[in-house]
Amino acid sequence: QLQASGGGLVQAGGSLRLSCAASGRTFSSYAVGWFRQAPGKEREFVAAINRSGTVTNYADSVKGRFTISRDNAKNSVYLQMNSLNPEDTGVYYCAAPKAPYTYMPYGQYAYWGQGTLVTVSS
C-alpha cells in the first residue's frame, strides 16, 4: 500500500516536498514513480527512481526543478519540488510496478497511492 502526502497550496516560485510512504511490501525491492493529473487532463509521468536510488528519470517539464529521492530504511520516497508554477497544479500520485527488481520508468505501474493535491497560485 502506498500513501502520498505533503501537498498543499503554494505561491508560484515556492517549494513543496511530497512523501510517499509504503507499507505491507518489500519497499526497497521496488522502483517508484511519481505522476500527476491536472484538472481536465490525463495523468502524466513526473519522475521515477530505481529501487536503490541510484537511477532517476524526470519529465522534461520538471527537470532541474524537481528531485526524487528515497530512504529505504523509512520505506519512503520523496519528491522535492522547487520553483513551482501554476502548470504544476494537480493531484500527485506515487506508484510502484508489479514486479520487483525492475526499472522501467515509463512502463506500467500496478500499485497506486491515493494522491495528494498540489495547488500553485500565480
Side-chain angles (χ1 to χ4, degrees), residues 63-116:
K63 279 181 182 176
R65 300 188 298 122
F66 291 11
T67 302
I68 188 171
S69 62
R70 68 188 299 160
D71 184 343
N72 287 336
K74 296 183 178 180
N75 275 11
S76 294
V77 171
Y78 308 100
L79 186 68
Q80 178 67 43
M81 306 186 296
N82 299 328
S83 301
L84 286 162
N85 59 61
E87 290 70 39
D88 296 315
T89 293
V91 178
Y92 283 69
Y93 301 89
C94 57
K98 185 174 183 179
Y101 306 108
T102 61
Y103 185 59
M104 292 181 288
Y106 308 105
Q108 296 294 317
Y109 288 77
Y111 307 105
W112 295 82
Q114 88 290 359
T116 186

Side-chain angles (χ1 to χ4, degrees), residues 35-49:
F35 294 77
R36 67 187 181 189
Q37 187 166 20
K41 294 186 178 181
E42 293 187 354
R43 187 169 59 197
E44 63 176 355
F45 171 84
V46 174
I49 189 166

Side-chain angles (χ1 to χ4, degrees), residues 6-51:
L9 175 63
V10 64
Q11 289 189 331
S15 298
L16 279 175
R17 188 194 195 205
L18 305 184
S19 297
C20 175
S23 61
R25 303 188 63 85
T26 309
F27 188 69
S28 61
S29 300
Y30 289 82
V32 173
W34 282 100
F35 294 77
R36 67 187 181 189
Q37 187 166 20
K41 294 186 178 181
E42 293 187 354
R43 187 169 59 197
E44 63 176 355
F45 171 84
V46 174
I49 189 166
N50 71 338
R51 63 186 182 94

